[in-house]
Amino acid sequence: NGCEIPDVCILDNTCGATVLLPTPEIDECSDDVTLTAQINIGGVWLNGFGPYLNVAPGTYDVRYVANDQCNNQTACETTVTVLDCKKPTPYCKNGIVVELMVPVNTGDEAMVEVWATDLDDNSFDNCPGALKFSFSANTDDIGITFTCDDLGQNEVELWVTDAAGNQD
């Protein structure tokens, strides 16, 4: 439609982007064209190209209107999407010691279950939302069972995934 706007990524420790609406190309033979822009943030239409500060992740409606000196008018409606592109900051406990236990009244072999959340040491993200903890990029890989076959040191990875799906 000629007025598409590329996504805006949040890459710093805030959860807001600076949005500056680009000027779309205009195909007009007259040199005297007035171009206006509006963006709908929080249900309020704001006039101008920006910059708009601290815009939260989401998709926002944008309207461009071009008027020439002959009073012809053309409008173009589009959206701009602000994305949380910053990975969460993982902190993990190191050197965890766990003890194998025999399940009561089962006669089964000694074992212990360790959950990815057990290794979290106050990981955080720039945007609100629950963090997911896993032992791999697969967010369903949340637990490991250790048995007598695993005695000694076992190296594991703690993966942190934020609400936007960013991982580290």
Side-chain angles (χ1 to χ4, degrees):
N1 65 14
C3 62
E4 292 92 6
I5 302 173
D7 294 343
V8 177
C9 266
I10 299 170
L11 295 170
D12 60 14
N13 285 327
T14 68
C15 192
T18 298
V19 175
L20 182 61
L21 299 176
T23 303
E25 289 190 24
I26 299 174
D27 185 13
E28 168 65 51
C29 56
S30 168
D31 290 336
D32 191 14
V33 176
T34 303
L35 182 64
T36 59
Q38 292 181 307
I39 185 170
N40 189 331
I41 299 176
V44 177
W45 284 96
L46 304 172
N47 295 313
F49 290 85
Y52 299 100
L53 306 177
N54 204 26
V55 179
T59 299
Y60 301 91
D61 292 324
V62 174
R63 183 183 307 138
Y64 290 106
V65 177
N67 288 301
D68 67 11
Q69 58 187 336
C70 299
N71 214 18
N72 297 312
Q73 178 174 303
T74 300
C76 183
E77 296 190 3
T78 188
T79 59
V80 61
T81 301
V82 175
L83 302 171
D84 173 14
C85 300
K86 184 185 177 304
K87 295 176 181 182
T89 303
Y91 282 103
C92 42
K93 296 174 183 170
N94 191 18
I96 300 294
V97 176
V98 293
E99 195 171 308
L100 299 179
M101 296 174 278
V102 177
V104 177
N105 299 327
T106 64
D108 289 341
E109 85 173 297
M111 50 85 67
V112 67
E113 291 179 329
V114 177
W115 304 101
T117 54
D118 295 337
L119 301 180
D120 175 44
D121 195 15
N122 295 314
S123 301
F124 65 92
D125 190 47
N126 61 316
C127 287
L131 296 177
K132 295 180 183 176
F133 301 95
S134 56
F135 287 113
S136 68
N138 177 352
T139 57
D140 293 328
D141 185 11
I142 60 172
I144 297 176
T145 300
F146 292 101
T147 65
C148 291
D149 295 337
D150 301 305
L151 289 177
Q153 264 190 338
N154 291 272
E155 188 172 305
V156 296
E157 290 185 347
L158 176 65
W159 286 68
V160 181
T161 306
D162 68 14
N166 300 308
Q167 293 184 312
D168 204 358

